[in-house]
Amino acid sequence: MCGIWALFGSDECLSVQCTSAMRIAHRGPDAFRFENVNGFTNCCFGFHRLAVVDQLYGMQPLRIKKFPFLWLCYNGEIYNHHTLRKQFDFDHQTKVDGEILLHLYDRFGIQKMASLLDGVFAFVLLDTANRKVFLGRDTYGVRPLFKFITDDGFLAVCSEAKGLTDITHAAESPANIVALLPGHFEAFDLKPNGKVQPVQMEPFHCCTEEPAHAVYDAVEMLPASCEDEAVRSNVRALFESAVRKRLMAQRRIGCLLSGGLDSSLVAATLVKLAKEEKLPYPIQTFAIGSEDSPDVLAARKVAAHIGSEHHEVNFTAEEGIQAVEEVIYHLETYDITTIRASVGMYLISKYIKEKSDSVVIFSGEGSDELTQGYLYFHKAPTPKAAAEDSVRLLKELYLFDVLRADRTTAAHGLELRVPFLDHRFTAYYLSLPEEMRTPKHGVEKHLLRDSFKDLNLIPDEILWRRKEAFSDGMMSVKKSWYVCLQEHLESMVNDDQMEKAHQTFPHNPPPSKEAYYFRQVFEKRYPGQAEWLSHYWMPRWADASDPSARTLALYTPDKDQ
């Protein structure tokens, strides 16, 4: 996890502009570097480092003797860097995983370079010999990247939008700050005056395609059988591989554990593989919730079963309400369900930073989108419609759950790892027959659960535990966290404001007082940037006015809660 920031063709003195780079200092608490580009006095890189791989040579922009004309700033982890290095016989100068980008780019060009990377990443690559600038972002946008470009070609890039909002430029018309699309790279020509000209924007990988790096993967190409046992075996093999490759770290690894299916599978597999790989410490797991919350009780059962060093963070509605403004600042969104779920994740990340030495944090994001885990999938009109919605959700993850997971952990200098969004695992799961992936016998994610049954990896009652939204499960069934939040915010927004909500906020008008309050806080921090969110996250095929699963007619609490 790091924070990257770069300017090409700045009109203002760089020493003034670089104060904006400090807005993302939380992403890299270990070191900071600010570097000008030789021969281009108005181009520079800023880098905040969280040291996880190669403590000695990991500072950026990364440059090596073999390619003195290449400058690389990237945030992420490339899990197959050793494999590719061996495969193509590259002569590496450092142990940094990102060095592989320089060798791949030199040999194959930008498109193939990006498609061969197995990992999560956002990068800025400068080639001064060919006068090119490239930006790229991983398939699901697990790592963030924002940019703006003015009419006259001043390009600014940053890991978070907050590092771009105060940058000054001489262009007459305002420059829109936009997120780089996941799974895409963008190319620019670099002019002698340091400004750029956009020349190409192309996808290099889509979630439904087998990734190009699969042919070099440790798990060989899988048999194409749709027999139940073969499929279950493949699901297990690819999931285990996804967790194993993410053990790449020189800092302590921990895991978020809500006691739901997804985080429990991640935590159990992580503990099992950590023992196999002989990691010199026990895996720490972290749960958050009120004392009688279903999540805390379930997580406790899982931790006892898998033998993790378990930590519980007590959550109160008052503490959550106090954190909302700060959470919205870090998130850069006003989406309702994203904010609700982020409060708990932000507070547990704060605890991990202050009370433990775990830095690399595993989590279960992506599973609900991939395996049709949301309760509304029970209402899908056809398996085809469900499969299409699953892909839509995966492509929009960067606006919602992946955004939440990145910003709430990065706010406290932690690095997130999400094995459910492994390229091979997701491509395989999406390639299975549509009927196979739908809810069965009234149980969502049936195929995933079925793949891990009779293994004693996690307790049976957890393996078959009903989906509970993280923002709901943190508090008791009697009173959800979102209800406490709504009750508190009821007095903060009056009826008159709600009546005029469509006029005040024509783009995504807030549907409730809670949403109105979130929007007010967002506008105070990021005025005029409402278009960063294209739409609110809402369930499909249900007449829903609220994103919480607990508001759906389908919802029935577990009997032991």
Side-chain angles (χ1 to χ4, degrees):
M1 175 64 70
C2 302
I4 61 178
W5 182 88
L7 303 182
F8 300 94
S10 174
D11 304 306
E12 173 72 78
C13 169
L14 292 178
S15 59
V16 174
Q17 303 277 43
C18 81
T19 55
S20 283
M22 302 318 290
R23 291 270 186 92
I24 58 160
H26 50 270
R27 294 188 73 88
D30 295 333
F32 172 65
R33 179 184 282 175
F34 185 72
E35 193 166 334
N36 289 58
V37 178
N38 315 343
F40 293 92
T41 53
N42 57 358
C43 297
C44 63
F45 289 92
F47 179 68
H48 296 275
R49 183 174 189 216
L50 177 66
V52 173
V53 176
D54 196 343
Q55 311 276 359
L56 185 61
Y57 292 107
M59 268 313 274
Q60 297 181 32
L62 181 62
R63 303 178 68 203
I64 57 174
K65 290 186 184 126
K66 190 171 182 186
F67 310 119
F69 51 89
L70 295 182
W71 305 59
L72 174 68
C73 242
Y74 78 103
N75 163 211
E77 303 79 50
I78 311 302
Y79 304 122
N80 63 343
H81 70 114
H82 286 303
T83 307
L84 294 173
R85 180 178 169 177
K86 265 191 244 152
Q87 178 68 34
F88 299 113
D89 199 26
F90 291 140
D91 181 19
H92 276 230
Q93 187 179 314
T94 73
K95 294 192 175 77
V96 180
D97 53 319
E99 185 182 332
I100 195 71
L101 275 78
L102 302 176
H103 296 274
L104 289 171
Y105 167 72
D106 177 68
R107 187 168 301 181
F108 300 119
I110 194 74
Q111 171 96 31
K112 188 167 180 182
M113 176 206 91
S115 68
L116 285 175
L117 301 175
D118 182 7
V120 293
F121 53 84
F123 66 78
V124 184
L125 176 62
L126 167 65
D127 177 348
T128 53
N130 294 294
R131 296 255 172 105
K132 293 279 187 191
V133 176
F134 300 99
L135 311 179
R137 190 175 181 192
D138 67 74
T139 305
Y140 296 108
V142 174
R143 294 289 175 261
L145 197 64
F146 290 84
K147 56 160 187 172
F148 77 60
I149 183 164
T150 62
D151 294 344
D152 64 346
F154 167 31
L155 173 68
V157 185
C158 188
S159 293
E160 297 182 20
K162 59 181 68 65
L164 302 177
T165 49
D166 287 348
I167 287 178
T168 57
H169 57 83
E172 286 180 19
S173 52
N176 292 329
I177 298 170
V178 294
L180 186 72
L181 281 177
H184 284 67
F185 73 86
E186 192 164 6
F188 303 84
D189 285 335
L190 181 66
K191 300 174 187 172
N193 66 356
K195 306 271 188 190
V196 303
Q197 174 75 38
V199 288
Q200 190 184 10
M201 166 86 158
E202 277 190 40
F204 59 83
H205 182 231
C206 169
C207 59
T208 52
E209 299 161 1
E210 179 81 305
H213 56 72
V215 290
Y216 311 119
D217 202 85
V219 176
E220 285 157 21
M221 303 309 270
L222 299 163
S225 166
C226 286
E227 293 294 319
D228 283 3
E229 193 38 58
V231 167
R232 289 196 293 264
S233 169
N234 290 343
V235 166
R236 288 193 299 274
L238 286 173
F239 182 70
E240 189 165 299
S241 166
V243 175
R244 190 187 299 277
K245 69 178 76 160
R246 284 165 174 76
L247 295 174
M248 179 182 97
Q250 290 169 2
R251 304 287 288 272
R252 185 167 184 171
I253 293 170
C255 190
L256 299 181
L257 179 59
S258 71
L261 173 70
D262 309 325
S263 65
S264 300
L265 285 177
V266 171
T269 308
L270 176 59
V271 168
K272 173 179 163 232
L273 296 180
K275 286 175 186 157
E276 285 179 20
E277 301 286 332
K278 298 188 169 45
L279 291 194
Y281 52 79
I283 295 293
Q284 295 178 322
T285 49
F286 303 91
I288 186 166
S290 60
E291 284 169 13
D292 61 344
S293 85
D295 278 4
V296 164
L297 301 173
R300 204 177 288 163
K301 281 179 198 162
V302 176
H305 185 87
I306 65 177
S308 62
E309 182 192 300
H310 192 55
H311 297 243
E312 289 179 1
V313 182
N314 189 36
F315 174 84
T316 64
E318 294 71 35
E319 191 183 11
I321 286 160
Q322 280 178 342
V324 168
E325 285 210 28
E326 193 60 20
V327 166
I328 292 173
Y329 170 70
H330 277 286
L331 290 177
E332 306 171 335
T333 188
Y334 51 91
D335 179 62
I336 306 160
T337 191
T338 303
I339 294 167
R340 287 177 187 168
S342 293
V343 170
M345 202 159 175
Y346 178 85
L347 293 172
I348 201 169
S349 298
K350 183 170 187 270
Y351 172 92
I352 294 169
K353 172 76 172 173
E354 292 172 357
K355 302 281 200 305
S356 85
D357 56 349
S358 288
V359 173
V360 174
I361 306 297
F362 279 63
S363 189
E365 272 71 32
S367 174
D368 286 322
E369 291 75 9
L370 176 67
T371 66
Q372 303 184 16
Y374 294 113
L375 293 187
Y376 76 75
F377 275 100
H378 290 282
K379 291 276 195 189
T382 62
K384 186 175 193 297
E388 285 169 357
D389 205 57
S390 183
V391 172
R392 175 188 70 85
L393 288 170
L394 286 164
K395 287 181 176 176
E396 291 180 355
L397 265 172
Y398 76 105
L399 293 169
F400 303 112
D401 281 26
V402 150
L403 178 146
R404 160 176 58 79
D406 173 82
R407 301 304 194 286
T408 55
T409 49
H412 301 288
L414 304 176
E415 175 170 300
L416 186 84
R417 303 234 167 137
V418 281
F420 275 109
L421 290 175
D422 182 77
H423 300 164
R424 293 265 334 260
F425 182 71
T426 52
Y428 175 72
Y429 206 96
L430 294 172
S431 75
L432 296 170
E434 291 162 351
E435 295 74 21
M436 213 173 206
R437 293 180 272 146
T438 56
K440 300 269 188 306
H441 317 300
V443 181
E444 63 283 346
K445 295 193 262 204
H446 192 275
L447 172 59
L448 180 66
R449 298 174 198 270
D450 206 38
S451 299
F452 288 93
K453 76 174 181 196
D454 302 330
L455 298 178
N456 199 31
L457 186 66
I458 59 176
D460 254 15
E461 68 211 84
I462 304 295
L463 185 63
W464 298 98
R465 184 186 173 202
R466 184 124 215 212
K467 163 75 184 160
E468 180 81 275
F470 178 47
S471 56
D472 293 336
M474 288 194 305
M475 292 183 71
S476 74
V477 170
K478 299 181 193 80
K479 193 168 189 183
S480 288
W481 150 237
Y482 82 91
V483 175
C484 298
L485 193 55
Q486 285 174 336
E487 285 176 0
H488 174 77
L489 298 177
E490 182 71 25
S491 59
M492 313 278 280
V493 178
N494 63 45
D495 294 342
D496 197 37
Q497 287 173 301
M498 277 310 295
E499 268 179 42
K500 293 178 182 151
H502 280 75
Q503 294 147 302
T504 315
F505 304 116
H507 178 75
N508 288 337
S512 64
K513 289 186 176 180
E514 175 196 22
Y516 195 105
Y517 174 77
F518 292 164
R519 183 65 170 271
Q520 279 182 315
V521 174
F522 174 85
E523 292 287 347
K524 187 170 80 179
R525 295 290 193 138
Y526 304 108
Q529 303 291 358
E531 295 200 356
W532 288 349
L533 179 67
S534 54
H535 60 283
Y536 290 112
W537 193 100
M538 282 286 174
R540 303 282 303 274
W541 308 305
D543 189 18
S545 57
D546 189 283
S548 168
R550 285 190 178 179
T551 63
L552 298 178
L554 294 159
Y555 178 78
T556 51
D558 281 359
K559 292 180 180 56
D560 59 350
Q561 292 167 12

